[in-house]
Amino acid sequence: MALVIKKDEKIKSLVDTLGRDCNADEFVLKFKIDYPKDWKKINDSYINHENDNQNKKNPTHPMPNPEQYVKNMLNVWLNK
């Protein structure tokens, strides 16, 4: 299940607003403001993932922190 529904459309909208050469930190801040439900979903998923891994003997692949997750979304989109 995708954490962010219509991810490409949302990223394109933000990039159109901020410009293609925007700073990744600016992008994260704008994402938090424009898509608070998606931001909450990413944060909740991260917290659940971290809690699940603390209780396991062999933790699974780590999820990046929420800010890095959004930066990765931008980088993947820009490299398409």
Side-chain angles (χ1 to χ4, degrees):
M1 178 176 83
L3 285 178
V4 179
I5 306 297
K6 298 183 180 180
K7 183 183 341 184
D8 286 341
E9 292 174 22
K10 292 175 181 178
I11 294 170
K12 181 182 181 325
S13 173
L14 293 175
V15 169
D16 287 347
T17 301
L18 296 170
R20 244 184 125 73
D21 59 343
C22 68
N23 181 307
D25 293 325
E26 293 171 1
F27 181 84
V28 172
L29 180 61
K30 186 73 171 156
F31 184 88
K32 289 179 188 180
I33 293 167
D34 287 5
Y35 304 108
K37 289 181 183 177
D38 289 319
W39 178 249
K40 181 180 179 345
K41 201 171 173 184
I42 292 169
N43 273 316
D44 291 347
S45 179
Y46 176 76
I47 290 167
N48 289 338
H49 184 80
E50 289 297 306
N51 289 339
D52 287 348
N53 276 341
Q54 287 179 358
N55 298 327
K56 290 183 180 177
K57 190 172 189 175
N58 295 320
T60 60
H61 190 281
M63 179 179 175
N65 68 50
E67 289 84 9
Q68 188 60 49
Y69 185 88
V70 174
K71 289 176 185 179
N72 290 349
M73 287 183 354
L74 173 63
N75 288 334
V76 168
W77 188 85
L78 287 172
N79 290 322
K80 283 186 178 181

